[in-house]
Amino acid sequence: MNMRNQWPVLPVVAGLASGLLTGCGTETGDAGGTGTSVVMGMSDDVLATDPASGYDPGSWLLFNNVFQSLLSFPKGATEPQPEAAEECAFSDSKATVYECTLKDGLKFSNGDELTSKDVKFSFDRLLKINDPDGPAVMFPTLSKVETPDDKTVVFRLNSSDATFPSKIASGAGSIVDEDQYDAAGLRKDGQAVGSGPYKLDKFDDDEAVFSVNENYKGTAEVQNSGVTMKFFHGDQEALKKAIKENEVDIAYRGLTAGDITDVENSGGDSGIEVVEGGSAEVQHLVFNMDDPVTGKLGVRKAIAYLLDRDALIRDVYQGTATPLYSIIPAGIGGHNTAFFDTYGARPSRSKAAAALQDEGVNGKVKLTLWSTPSRYGPATDDELKAIAKQLNASGLFDADVQSVAFDQYEKDIADGKYGVYVKGWIPDYPDADNFTAPFFGKGNVLSNNYSNNAITGTLIPRTAAESDRAATEDDFGQLQDIVAKELPVLPVWQAKQYAVVRDNVYGLEYCLDASTVFRFWELSKG
Protein backbone atom coordinates (compact mmCIF):
# COMPACT_ATOMS: atom_id res chain seq x y z
CA MET A 1 0.00 0.00 0.00
CA ASN A 2 2.72 2.45 0.95
CA MET A 3 4.17 2.13 -2.53
CA ARG A 4 1.16 1.89 -4.80
CA ASN A 5 -0.48 4.98 -3.36
CA GLN A 6 2.60 6.95 -4.43
CA TRP A 7 2.80 5.72 -8.01
CA PRO A 8 2.57 8.40 -10.75
CA VAL A 9 -0.80 7.85 -12.33
CA LEU A 10 -3.13 9.80 -14.54
CA PRO A 11 -6.87 9.62 -14.00
CA VAL A 12 -7.28 9.20 -17.74
CA VAL A 13 -5.36 5.97 -18.03
CA ALA A 14 -4.69 4.43 -14.65
CA GLY A 15 -6.74 3.15 -11.77
CA LEU A 16 -9.24 0.39 -11.47
CA ALA A 17 -12.66 -0.01 -13.00
CA SER A 18 -15.80 -0.27 -10.95
CA GLY A 19 -16.83 -3.78 -11.90
CA LEU A 20 -19.56 -3.27 -14.50
CA LEU A 21 -18.92 -6.61 -16.21
CA THR A 22 -19.86 -10.09 -15.13
CA GLY A 23 -18.52 -13.54 -15.81
CA CYS A 24 -16.12 -15.86 -14.05
CA GLY A 25 -14.22 -17.46 -16.93
CA THR A 26 -14.01 -21.22 -17.32
CA GLU A 27 -12.79 -23.95 -15.06
CA THR A 28 -9.88 -25.00 -17.28
CA GLY A 29 -8.01 -22.54 -19.42
CA ASP A 30 -7.06 -22.87 -23.07
CA ALA A 31 -3.28 -22.79 -22.99
CA GLY A 32 -2.87 -23.23 -26.73
CA GLY A 33 -3.33 -19.59 -27.70
CA THR A 34 -5.20 -18.46 -30.81
CA GLY A 35 -4.95 -15.59 -33.23
CA THR A 36 -1.97 -13.28 -33.66
CA SER A 37 0.23 -11.53 -31.13
CA VAL A 38 -0.72 -8.15 -29.67
CA VAL A 39 1.63 -5.18 -29.10
CA MET A 40 0.90 -2.85 -26.19
CA GLY A 41 2.59 0.47 -25.43
CA MET A 42 2.81 1.75 -21.86
CA SER A 43 4.36 4.89 -20.41
CA ASP A 44 5.11 3.20 -17.07
CA ASP A 45 8.13 1.02 -16.51
CA VAL A 46 8.09 -2.50 -15.07
CA LEU A 47 10.31 -2.10 -12.03
CA ALA A 48 10.63 -5.79 -11.15
CA THR A 49 10.13 -9.26 -12.59
CA ASP A 50 10.46 -10.79 -9.11
CA PRO A 51 7.18 -10.76 -7.12
CA ALA A 52 9.08 -10.28 -3.87
CA SER A 53 10.11 -6.84 -5.06
CA GLY A 54 7.58 -5.25 -7.41
CA TYR A 55 4.87 -3.09 -5.87
CA ASP A 56 3.97 -0.87 -8.81
CA PRO A 57 1.31 -1.08 -11.53
CA GLY A 58 3.73 -2.08 -14.28
CA SER A 59 5.26 -4.93 -12.30
CA TRP A 60 1.89 -6.22 -11.14
CA LEU A 61 0.72 -6.26 -14.74
CA LEU A 62 3.58 -8.65 -15.48
CA PHE A 63 2.96 -10.74 -12.34
CA ASN A 64 -0.75 -11.20 -13.06
CA ASN A 65 0.00 -12.73 -16.46
CA VAL A 66 3.15 -14.77 -15.74
CA PHE A 67 2.40 -16.07 -12.24
CA GLN A 68 -0.61 -17.77 -10.72
CA SER A 69 -2.10 -17.02 -7.34
CA LEU A 70 -4.20 -19.41 -5.31
CA LEU A 71 -7.17 -17.17 -6.05
CA SER A 72 -7.85 -14.61 -8.76
CA PHE A 73 -10.45 -12.01 -9.64
CA PRO A 74 -12.70 -13.04 -12.54
CA LYS A 75 -13.32 -10.32 -15.09
CA GLY A 76 -15.73 -7.76 -13.74
CA ALA A 77 -15.72 -9.21 -10.21
CA THR A 78 -14.47 -7.93 -6.86
CA GLU A 79 -14.76 -11.26 -5.03
CA PRO A 80 -11.79 -13.62 -5.52
CA GLN A 81 -12.38 -17.10 -6.91
CA PRO A 82 -10.14 -20.22 -7.06
CA GLU A 83 -7.32 -20.15 -9.61
CA ALA A 84 -4.36 -22.40 -8.72
CA ALA A 85 -6.51 -23.60 -5.82
CA GLU A 86 -9.41 -25.99 -6.19
CA GLU A 87 -10.99 -24.41 -3.13
CA CYS A 88 -10.12 -22.08 -0.26
CA ALA A 89 -11.94 -21.14 2.94
CA PHE A 90 -11.50 -19.89 6.49
CA SER A 91 -11.65 -22.89 8.81
CA ASP A 92 -12.43 -20.88 11.94
CA SER A 93 -15.02 -18.27 12.90
CA LYS A 94 -12.45 -15.58 13.72
CA ALA A 95 -10.92 -15.42 10.21
CA THR A 96 -7.47 -16.41 11.47
CA VAL A 97 -6.95 -19.79 9.74
CA TYR A 98 -7.24 -19.93 5.95
CA GLU A 99 -6.91 -23.24 4.12
CA CYS A 100 -6.51 -23.95 0.39
CA THR A 101 -6.43 -27.15 -1.63
CA LEU A 102 -4.51 -27.04 -4.92
CA LYS A 103 -5.79 -28.21 -8.30
CA ASP A 104 -4.37 -31.46 -9.67
CA GLY A 105 -1.63 -31.36 -12.29
CA LEU A 106 -0.30 -27.84 -11.83
CA LYS A 107 3.04 -27.14 -13.49
CA PHE A 108 5.34 -24.18 -13.92
CA SER A 109 6.24 -22.99 -17.42
CA ASN A 110 9.53 -24.94 -17.24
CA GLY A 111 7.67 -28.19 -16.55
CA ASP A 112 8.37 -28.36 -12.79
CA GLU A 113 5.45 -29.58 -10.69
CA LEU A 114 3.72 -26.94 -8.54
CA THR A 115 2.96 -28.19 -5.01
CA SER A 116 2.05 -26.72 -1.67
CA LYS A 117 5.77 -26.44 -0.89
CA ASP A 118 6.13 -23.87 -3.67
CA VAL A 119 3.25 -21.86 -2.20
CA LYS A 120 4.79 -21.89 1.27
CA PHE A 121 8.20 -21.04 -0.20
CA SER A 122 6.74 -18.05 -2.07
CA PHE A 123 5.14 -16.49 1.02
CA ASP A 124 8.03 -17.33 3.37
CA ARG A 125 10.44 -15.84 0.84
CA LEU A 126 8.37 -12.68 0.40
CA LEU A 127 8.33 -12.04 4.15
CA LYS A 128 11.98 -12.99 4.69
CA ILE A 129 13.30 -10.72 1.96
CA ASN A 130 10.90 -7.97 3.08
CA ASP A 131 12.04 -5.73 0.25
CA PRO A 132 11.22 -2.05 0.89
CA ASP A 133 9.96 -1.83 -2.69
CA GLY A 134 7.94 -5.04 -2.40
CA PRO A 135 4.47 -6.08 -1.20
CA ALA A 136 5.46 -7.87 2.03
CA VAL A 137 3.87 -4.91 3.82
CA MET A 138 0.48 -6.29 2.77
CA PHE A 139 0.81 -9.31 5.08
CA PRO A 140 1.28 -8.02 8.66
CA THR A 141 -1.21 -10.62 9.90
CA LEU A 142 0.50 -13.66 8.31
CA SER A 143 2.18 -15.65 11.07
CA LYS A 144 2.90 -19.05 9.53
CA VAL A 145 2.32 -21.13 6.40
CA GLU A 146 1.89 -24.90 6.84
CA THR A 147 1.78 -27.70 4.26
CA PRO A 148 0.18 -30.89 5.69
CA ASP A 149 0.53 -32.52 2.26
CA ASP A 150 1.47 -31.65 -1.34
CA LYS A 151 -1.94 -30.23 -2.13
CA THR A 152 -2.88 -28.45 1.10
CA VAL A 153 -1.77 -25.01 2.29
CA VAL A 154 -2.75 -23.58 5.68
CA PHE A 155 -2.21 -19.90 6.49
CA ARG A 156 -2.23 -19.04 10.20
CA LEU A 157 -2.86 -15.38 10.95
CA ASN A 158 -1.97 -13.51 14.13
CA SER A 159 -5.23 -11.54 14.04
CA SER A 160 -8.53 -11.55 12.18
CA ASP A 161 -8.13 -10.61 8.53
CA ALA A 162 -11.16 -11.37 6.38
CA THR A 163 -9.51 -9.55 3.45
CA PHE A 164 -6.70 -12.12 3.34
CA PRO A 165 -8.29 -13.92 0.34
CA SER A 166 -8.26 -10.66 -1.65
CA LYS A 167 -4.65 -10.03 -0.70
CA ILE A 168 -3.44 -13.42 -1.90
CA ALA A 169 -5.49 -12.99 -5.10
CA SER A 170 -3.45 -9.89 -5.95
CA GLY A 171 0.03 -9.68 -7.46
CA ALA A 172 1.40 -10.08 -3.94
CA GLY A 173 0.17 -13.69 -3.95
CA SER A 174 2.25 -14.76 -6.96
CA ILE A 175 3.56 -18.34 -6.67
CA VAL A 176 7.19 -18.94 -7.72
CA ASP A 177 9.12 -22.15 -8.39
CA GLU A 178 11.10 -23.11 -5.29
CA ASP A 179 13.87 -24.57 -7.47
CA GLN A 180 14.29 -21.38 -9.48
CA TYR A 181 14.41 -18.68 -6.79
CA ASP A 182 16.72 -17.84 -3.89
CA ALA A 183 14.94 -18.06 -0.54
CA ALA A 184 16.82 -15.05 0.82
CA GLY A 185 17.55 -12.87 -2.21
CA LEU A 186 15.91 -11.24 -5.20
CA ARG A 187 16.26 -12.55 -8.72
CA LYS A 188 18.46 -10.16 -10.72
CA ASP A 189 18.50 -11.67 -14.23
CA GLY A 190 15.23 -10.17 -15.49
CA GLN A 191 13.72 -13.62 -15.98
CA ALA A 192 10.65 -15.19 -14.39
CA VAL A 193 9.31 -18.71 -13.91
CA GLY A 194 5.62 -18.94 -13.08
CA SER A 195 2.56 -21.05 -13.81
CA GLY A 196 0.32 -18.33 -15.26
CA PRO A 197 -1.11 -18.11 -18.78
CA TYR A 198 2.07 -16.60 -20.23
CA LYS A 199 5.83 -17.12 -20.21
CA LEU A 200 8.26 -14.20 -20.11
CA ASP A 201 10.58 -14.73 -23.08
CA LYS A 202 12.43 -11.41 -23.05
CA PHE A 203 12.74 -8.45 -20.74
CA ASP A 204 14.91 -5.37 -21.21
CA ASP A 205 14.67 -1.58 -21.03
CA ASP A 206 12.68 -1.36 -24.23
CA GLU A 207 10.21 -4.22 -24.12
CA ALA A 208 8.88 -7.37 -22.50
CA VAL A 209 7.88 -10.26 -24.74
CA PHE A 210 5.38 -12.90 -23.60
CA SER A 211 4.34 -16.19 -25.23
CA VAL A 212 1.57 -18.58 -24.24
CA ASN A 213 2.45 -21.03 -21.43
CA GLU A 214 1.42 -24.47 -22.69
CA ASN A 215 1.65 -25.89 -19.15
CA TYR A 216 -0.94 -23.46 -17.76
CA LYS A 217 -3.97 -24.89 -16.00
CA GLY A 218 -6.46 -22.38 -14.68
CA THR A 219 -9.47 -20.22 -15.49
CA ALA A 220 -8.07 -18.06 -18.31
CA GLU A 221 -8.93 -18.75 -21.95
CA VAL A 222 -6.12 -17.28 -24.05
CA GLN A 223 -7.33 -15.38 -27.12
CA ASN A 224 -3.95 -14.55 -28.72
CA SER A 225 -0.60 -16.15 -29.48
CA GLY A 226 1.44 -13.74 -27.37
CA VAL A 227 1.83 -10.16 -26.16
CA THR A 228 4.67 -7.66 -26.47
CA MET A 229 4.83 -4.73 -24.06
CA LYS A 230 6.83 -1.73 -25.33
CA PHE A 231 8.03 0.74 -22.70
CA PHE A 232 7.92 4.48 -23.38
CA HIS A 233 9.43 5.58 -20.05
CA GLY A 234 6.98 8.41 -19.45
CA ASP A 235 7.28 9.85 -22.99
CA GLN A 236 3.64 10.63 -23.66
CA GLU A 237 4.27 12.15 -27.09
CA ALA A 238 6.15 9.05 -28.26
CA LEU A 239 3.35 6.79 -27.03
CA LYS A 240 0.74 8.92 -28.78
CA LYS A 241 2.76 8.80 -32.01
CA ALA A 242 3.18 5.02 -31.76
CA ILE A 243 -0.56 4.31 -31.53
CA LYS A 244 -1.38 6.76 -34.33
CA GLU A 245 1.26 5.27 -36.65
CA ASN A 246 0.24 1.67 -35.93
CA GLU A 247 3.49 0.81 -34.15
CA VAL A 248 1.47 -0.49 -31.20
CA ASP A 249 -2.02 -1.97 -31.05
CA ILE A 250 -2.86 -0.58 -27.61
CA ALA A 251 -1.77 2.52 -25.67
CA TYR A 252 -2.33 1.92 -21.96
CA ARG A 253 -1.32 4.20 -19.09
CA GLY A 254 0.26 7.43 -20.19
CA LEU A 255 -1.95 9.47 -22.52
CA THR A 256 -3.24 12.81 -21.28
CA ALA A 257 -6.84 13.96 -20.98
CA GLY A 258 -6.29 16.04 -24.12
CA ASP A 259 -5.01 13.00 -26.02
CA ILE A 260 -8.09 11.01 -25.04
CA THR A 261 -10.40 13.86 -26.08
CA ASP A 262 -8.64 14.19 -29.44
CA VAL A 263 -9.16 10.50 -30.19
CA GLU A 264 -12.80 10.61 -29.11
CA ASN A 265 -13.43 13.69 -31.26
CA SER A 266 -11.94 11.97 -34.30
CA GLY A 267 -14.94 9.63 -34.34
CA GLY A 268 -12.83 6.62 -35.25
CA ASP A 269 -11.60 8.23 -38.50
CA SER A 270 -8.00 7.77 -37.39
CA GLY A 271 -8.28 4.00 -37.11
CA ILE A 272 -8.06 4.14 -33.33
CA GLU A 273 -10.70 4.36 -30.63
CA VAL A 274 -11.04 4.83 -26.90
CA VAL A 275 -12.11 2.05 -24.54
CA GLU A 276 -13.41 3.46 -21.26
CA GLY A 277 -13.89 1.84 -17.88
CA GLY A 278 -14.70 3.06 -14.41
CA SER A 279 -12.00 3.18 -11.77
CA ALA A 280 -11.36 2.89 -8.06
CA GLU A 281 -8.32 5.16 -8.17
CA VAL A 282 -9.03 8.16 -5.94
CA GLN A 283 -7.55 11.47 -4.92
CA HIS A 284 -7.99 13.35 -1.65
CA LEU A 285 -7.00 16.57 -0.02
CA VAL A 286 -5.42 15.64 3.32
CA PHE A 287 -5.55 17.92 6.37
CA ASN A 288 -2.90 18.00 9.09
CA MET A 289 -5.00 17.90 12.23
CA ASP A 290 -2.21 19.49 14.31
CA ASP A 291 -1.72 22.47 11.99
CA PRO A 292 -2.70 25.85 13.49
CA VAL A 293 -4.94 26.61 10.49
CA THR A 294 -6.26 23.33 9.10
CA GLY A 295 -6.41 21.88 12.60
CA LYS A 296 -9.56 23.98 13.03
CA LEU A 297 -12.69 22.06 12.03
CA GLY A 298 -14.39 25.26 10.84
CA VAL A 299 -11.61 25.89 8.31
CA ARG A 300 -11.85 22.34 7.00
CA LYS A 301 -15.64 22.62 6.74
CA ALA A 302 -15.34 25.90 4.84
CA ILE A 303 -13.06 24.24 2.29
CA ALA A 304 -15.49 21.32 1.97
CA TYR A 305 -18.40 23.73 1.36
CA LEU A 306 -16.45 25.68 -1.30
CA LEU A 307 -14.88 22.84 -3.29
CA ASP A 308 -16.42 22.70 -6.78
CA ARG A 309 -15.59 19.20 -7.99
CA ASP A 310 -17.65 19.50 -11.16
CA ALA A 311 -15.61 22.53 -12.28
CA LEU A 312 -12.35 20.68 -11.63
CA ILE A 313 -13.49 17.68 -13.66
CA ARG A 314 -14.64 19.94 -16.51
CA ASP A 315 -11.80 22.45 -16.63
CA VAL A 316 -8.75 20.48 -15.48
CA TYR A 317 -9.52 16.86 -16.33
CA GLN A 318 -11.81 17.37 -19.35
CA GLY A 319 -14.33 14.84 -18.10
CA THR A 320 -11.82 12.02 -17.56
CA ALA A 321 -12.68 11.61 -13.87
CA THR A 322 -15.82 11.82 -11.75
CA PRO A 323 -16.55 13.81 -8.57
CA LEU A 324 -15.88 11.81 -5.42
CA TYR A 325 -18.07 12.27 -2.33
CA SER A 326 -16.92 9.27 -0.32
CA ILE A 327 -13.88 7.56 1.12
CA ILE A 328 -14.86 4.25 -0.46
CA PRO A 329 -15.34 4.82 -4.20
CA ALA A 330 -18.33 3.79 -6.28
CA GLY A 331 -18.18 0.18 -7.39
CA ILE A 332 -16.67 -1.04 -4.11
CA GLY A 333 -18.89 -2.66 -1.49
CA GLY A 334 -19.60 -0.33 1.43
CA HIS A 335 -19.59 2.85 -0.68
CA ASN A 336 -21.84 5.68 0.49
CA THR A 337 -22.09 9.41 -0.25
CA ALA A 338 -21.36 10.85 3.18
CA PHE A 339 -19.61 13.99 1.88
CA PHE A 340 -22.42 14.72 -0.59
CA ASP A 341 -24.97 14.29 2.17
CA THR A 342 -23.02 16.49 4.60
CA TYR A 343 -21.66 19.27 2.37
CA GLY A 344 -23.79 19.13 -0.77
CA ALA A 345 -22.87 18.94 -4.44
CA ARG A 346 -22.75 22.67 -5.13
CA PRO A 347 -20.47 25.20 -3.44
CA SER A 348 -22.08 27.30 -0.71
CA ARG A 349 -20.32 30.48 0.36
CA SER A 350 -22.91 31.16 3.05
CA LYS A 351 -22.35 27.77 4.70
CA ALA A 352 -18.58 28.19 4.44
CA ALA A 353 -18.79 31.63 6.06
CA ALA A 354 -21.00 30.26 8.84
CA ALA A 355 -18.52 27.43 9.52
CA LEU A 356 -15.68 29.93 9.91
CA GLN A 357 -17.80 32.20 12.10
CA ASP A 358 -18.74 29.28 14.37
CA GLU A 359 -15.03 28.52 14.70
CA GLY A 360 -14.36 32.16 15.65
CA VAL A 361 -12.25 32.76 12.56
CA ASN A 362 -12.29 36.37 11.41
CA GLY A 363 -10.81 37.81 8.23
CA LYS A 364 -9.48 35.88 5.28
CA VAL A 365 -7.89 32.53 6.04
CA LYS A 366 -4.31 32.46 4.77
CA LEU A 367 -3.62 28.99 3.41
CA THR A 368 -1.04 27.16 1.29
CA LEU A 369 -2.11 24.12 -0.70
CA TRP A 370 0.86 21.78 -1.15
CA SER A 371 1.25 19.82 -4.36
CA THR A 372 3.81 17.63 -6.10
CA PRO A 373 4.11 17.99 -9.87
CA SER A 374 3.88 14.51 -11.37
CA ARG A 375 3.52 11.75 -8.80
CA TYR A 376 -0.26 11.83 -8.93
CA GLY A 377 -0.48 12.87 -12.57
CA PRO A 378 0.71 15.90 -14.56
CA ALA A 379 -2.49 17.86 -13.93
CA THR A 380 -2.07 17.89 -10.14
CA ASP A 381 -0.53 21.36 -9.91
CA ASP A 382 -3.21 22.81 -12.19
CA GLU A 383 -5.88 21.12 -10.08
CA LEU A 384 -4.55 22.58 -6.83
CA LYS A 385 -4.30 26.05 -8.44
CA ALA A 386 -7.93 25.74 -9.53
CA ILE A 387 -8.95 24.81 -5.98
CA ALA A 388 -7.04 27.81 -4.58
CA LYS A 389 -8.85 30.02 -7.09
CA GLN A 390 -12.21 28.62 -5.96
CA LEU A 391 -11.38 29.32 -2.32
CA ASN A 392 -10.17 32.86 -3.06
CA ALA A 393 -13.22 33.67 -5.20
CA SER A 394 -15.36 33.27 -2.08
CA GLY A 395 -13.56 36.15 -0.41
CA LEU A 396 -13.04 33.95 2.64
CA PHE A 397 -9.54 32.66 1.82
CA ASP A 398 -6.16 33.94 0.74
CA ALA A 399 -4.83 30.69 -0.70
CA ASP A 400 -1.79 29.90 -2.80
CA VAL A 401 -0.13 26.74 -4.11
CA GLN A 402 3.39 25.42 -3.61
CA SER A 403 4.64 22.45 -5.65
CA VAL A 404 7.54 20.40 -4.29
CA ALA A 405 9.54 17.50 -5.77
CA PHE A 406 8.14 14.23 -4.48
CA ASP A 407 11.06 13.13 -2.28
CA GLN A 408 11.03 16.43 -0.42
CA TYR A 409 7.22 16.43 -0.38
CA GLU A 410 7.12 13.11 1.48
CA LYS A 411 9.74 14.23 4.00
CA ASP A 412 7.91 17.48 4.72
CA ILE A 413 4.60 15.68 5.20
CA ALA A 414 6.23 13.28 7.66
CA ASP A 415 7.68 16.28 9.51
CA GLY A 416 4.24 17.91 9.76
CA LYS A 417 5.20 20.98 7.71
CA TYR A 418 2.08 21.12 5.55
CA GLY A 419 -1.46 22.03 6.58
CA VAL A 420 -3.21 20.65 3.50
CA TYR A 421 -1.73 18.47 0.77
CA VAL A 422 -2.77 16.10 -2.00
CA LYS A 423 -2.62 12.29 -1.98
CA GLY A 424 -3.63 9.73 -4.58
CA TRP A 425 -4.44 6.07 -4.00
CA ILE A 426 -4.68 2.97 -6.18
CA PRO A 427 -6.01 0.01 -4.20
CA ASP A 428 -4.11 -3.25 -3.86
CA TYR A 429 -7.38 -5.19 -3.85
CA PRO A 430 -11.02 -4.15 -4.42
CA ASP A 431 -12.32 -4.15 -0.86
CA ALA A 432 -13.46 -1.26 1.34
CA ASP A 433 -10.77 -2.22 3.85
CA ASN A 434 -8.08 -1.01 1.44
CA PHE A 435 -9.63 2.47 1.34
CA THR A 436 -10.04 2.80 5.10
CA ALA A 437 -7.51 0.89 7.22
CA PRO A 438 -4.45 2.47 5.50
CA PHE A 439 -5.89 5.97 6.01
CA PHE A 440 -7.56 5.78 9.40
CA GLY A 441 -6.14 2.70 11.10
CA LYS A 442 -3.18 2.58 13.44
CA GLY A 443 0.00 3.89 11.82
CA ASN A 444 -1.92 5.32 8.86
CA VAL A 445 -0.05 6.29 5.70
CA LEU A 446 -1.35 9.86 5.55
CA SER A 447 0.83 11.25 8.39
CA ASN A 448 -1.88 13.77 9.26
CA ASN A 449 -2.15 13.15 13.02
CA TYR A 450 -5.72 11.90 12.85
CA SER A 451 -7.16 9.19 15.04
CA ASN A 452 -10.62 8.16 16.12
CA ASN A 453 -11.17 5.52 18.78
CA ALA A 454 -14.42 4.25 17.31
CA ILE A 455 -12.68 3.66 13.97
CA THR A 456 -9.47 2.09 15.27
CA GLY A 457 -10.97 0.31 18.27
CA THR A 458 -14.25 -1.00 16.88
CA LEU A 459 -15.05 -0.48 13.20
CA ILE A 460 -11.80 -1.53 11.54
CA PRO A 461 -11.27 -4.60 13.77
CA ARG A 462 -14.89 -5.65 13.35
CA THR A 463 -14.82 -5.34 9.55
CA ALA A 464 -11.50 -7.20 9.44
CA ALA A 465 -13.04 -10.16 11.27
CA GLU A 466 -16.14 -10.44 9.06
CA SER A 467 -15.63 -13.01 6.30
CA ASP A 468 -19.03 -12.14 4.81
CA ARG A 469 -17.96 -8.87 3.20
CA ALA A 470 -21.56 -7.83 2.44
CA ALA A 471 -22.19 -7.81 6.19
CA THR A 472 -19.60 -5.03 6.69
CA GLU A 473 -21.56 -2.32 4.85
CA ASP A 474 -23.16 -0.78 7.96
CA ASP A 475 -19.80 -0.53 9.75
CA PHE A 476 -18.10 0.98 6.71
CA GLY A 477 -21.02 3.38 6.42
CA GLN A 478 -20.52 4.50 10.03
CA LEU A 479 -16.81 4.93 9.39
CA GLN A 480 -17.42 7.14 6.37
CA ASP A 481 -19.98 9.22 8.26
CA ILE A 482 -17.44 9.83 11.04
CA VAL A 483 -14.77 10.87 8.54
CA ALA A 484 -17.18 13.24 6.76
CA LYS A 485 -18.02 14.85 10.09
CA GLU A 486 -14.46 15.17 11.38
CA LEU A 487 -12.85 15.91 7.97
CA PRO A 488 -9.28 14.60 8.23
CA VAL A 489 -9.45 14.20 4.43
CA LEU A 490 -11.63 15.62 1.68
CA PRO A 491 -12.33 13.34 -1.33
CA VAL A 492 -11.92 15.13 -4.68
CA TRP A 493 -12.19 12.73 -7.62
CA GLN A 494 -12.48 9.13 -8.68
CA ALA A 495 -10.70 8.24 -11.90
CA LYS A 496 -12.06 6.79 -15.05
CA GLN A 497 -9.84 4.37 -16.91
CA TYR A 498 -8.95 4.47 -20.58
CA ALA A 499 -6.99 2.61 -23.20
CA VAL A 500 -6.59 3.69 -26.82
CA VAL A 501 -6.68 0.80 -29.29
CA ARG A 502 -6.49 0.11 -32.99
CA ASP A 503 -9.93 -0.67 -34.36
CA ASN A 504 -9.03 -4.32 -35.04
CA VAL A 505 -8.18 -5.11 -31.42
CA TYR A 506 -10.78 -6.62 -29.09
CA GLY A 507 -11.22 -7.60 -25.45
CA LEU A 508 -9.99 -4.44 -23.73
CA GLU A 509 -13.27 -4.08 -21.85
CA TYR A 510 -12.35 -7.25 -19.94
CA CYS A 511 -8.97 -5.81 -18.90
CA LEU A 512 -10.15 -2.63 -17.17
CA ASP A 513 -11.98 -3.42 -13.93
CA ALA A 514 -11.80 -3.05 -10.18
CA SER A 515 -9.57 -6.07 -9.67
CA THR A 516 -6.39 -4.23 -10.80
CA VAL A 517 -5.75 -7.14 -13.23
CA PHE A 518 -4.94 -6.35 -16.87
CA ARG A 519 -5.75 -9.69 -18.52
CA PHE A 520 -3.51 -10.30 -21.52
CA TRP A 521 -5.47 -13.44 -22.33
CA GLU A 522 -8.63 -11.47 -23.14
CA LEU A 523 -6.93 -9.54 -25.97
CA SER A 524 -7.42 -10.54 -29.59
CA LYS A 525 -6.50 -8.99 -32.92
CA GLY A 526 -8.56 -9.27 -36.07
Side-chain angles (χ1 to χ4, degrees), residues 299 302-303 305-306 348-357 361-367 390-399:
V299 172
I303 296 171
Y305 280 125
L306 293 172
S348 173
R349 185 194 181 280
S350 61
K351 290 180 179 178
L356 293 173
Q357 185 175 11
V361 176
N362 299 309
K364 290 185 178 181
V365 177
K366 189 166 180 60
L367 184 71
Q390 292 176 3
L391 297 178
N392 293 341
S394 71
L396 301 173
F397 283 83
D398 178 10

Side-chain angles (χ1 to χ4, degrees), residues 236-237 240 254-264 274 318 500:
Q236 295 170 337
E237 285 301 315
K240 184 178 180 181
L255 298 181
T256 66
D259 295 333
I260 297 297
T261 301
D262 288 346
V263 174
E264 289 180 323
V274 173
Q318 300 179 42
V500 177

Side-chain angles (χ1 to χ4, degrees), residues 449-495:
N449 303 298
Y450 174 71
S451 65
N452 178 281
N453 290 335
I455 292 176
T456 57
T458 302
L459 295 174
I460 287 178
R462 196 156 65 199
T463 56
E466 179 55 72
S467 57
D468 178 3
R469 301 312 286 162
T472 63
E473 291 194 3
D474 286 347
D475 281 343
F476 280 123
Q478 290 182 44
L479 189 156
Q480 290 173 94
D481 291 344
I482 291 170
V483 172
K485 180 180 178 182
E486 298 188 347
L487 269 175
V489 301
L490 181 61
V492 182
W493 53 251
Q494 176 175 347

Side-chain angles (χ1 to χ4, degrees), residues 161-401:
D161 186 0
T163 65
F164 188 75
S166 292
K167 293 174 181 176
I168 66 172
S170 74
S174 298
I175 303 167
V176 302
D177 185 344
E178 181 177 10
D179 294 332
Q180 296 292 320
Y181 287 81
D182 184 345
L186 295 174
R187 188 162 187 158
K188 304 287 189 181
D189 59 4
Q191 298 182 26
V193 179
S195 58
Y198 290 85
K199 297 183 294 184
L200 180 64
D201 296 330
K202 175 186 175 185
F203 179 81
D204 58 30
D205 287 342
D206 298 320
E207 65 180 14
V209 179
F210 304 84
S211 62
V212 177
N213 174 18
E214 294 181 355
N215 289 323
Y216 170 70
K217 184 176 183 180
T219 60
E221 287 188 278
V222 180
Q223 302 296 318
N224 54 65
S225 59
V227 175
T228 296
M229 257 199 320
K230 292 187 177 293
F231 305 128
F232 287 81
H233 309 296
D235 190 339
Q236 295 170 337
E237 285 301 315
L239 179 58
K240 184 178 180 181
K241 181 173 180 286
I243 187 68
K244 283 189 171 183
E245 297 185 359
N246 205 16
E247 295 173 8
V248 299
D249 301 311
I250 302 166
Y252 175 64
R253 298 184 59 86
L255 298 181
T256 66
D259 295 333
I260 297 297
T261 301
D262 288 346
V263 174
E264 289 180 323
N265 290 340
S266 72
D269 294 339
S270 59
I272 55 179
E273 59 186 4
V274 173
V275 177
E276 176 183 325
S279 173
E281 177 196 346
V282 298
Q283 192 186 87
H284 302 316
L285 290 180
V286 182
F287 298 110
N288 181 353
M289 305 295 276
D290 288 349
D291 184 81
V293 178
T294 58
K296 296 177 180 178
L297 178 59
V299 172
R300 302 196 300 276
K301 282 185 175 181
I303 296 171
Y305 280 125
L306 293 172
L307 180 65
D308 189 342
R309 296 170 176 84
D310 287 330
L312 293 177
I313 300 305
R314 181 188 67 238
D315 299 336
V316 179
Y317 290 105
Q318 300 179 42
T320 59
T322 57
L324 180 63
Y325 295 97
S326 56
I327 298 303
I328 300 166
I332 302 296
H335 163 78
N336 73 6
T337 54
F339 284 81
F340 181 95
D341 300 339
T342 306
Y343 302 103
R346 298 183 180 277
S348 173
R349 185 194 181 280
S350 61
K351 290 180 179 178
L356 293 173
Q357 185 175 11
D358 290 346
E359 188 71 46
V361 176
N362 299 309
K364 290 185 178 181
V365 177
K366 189 166 180 60
L367 184 71
T368 295
L369 305 174
W370 291 92
S371 181
T372 189
S374 61
R375 195 68 174 187
Y376 306 121
T380 307
D381 285 354
D382 290 340
E383 175 193 339
L384 269 288
K385 290 174 184 176
I387 293 174
K389 189 175 180 179
Q390 292 176 3
L391 297 178
N392 293 341
S394 71
L396 301 173
F397 283 83
D398 178 10
D400 67 349
V401 175

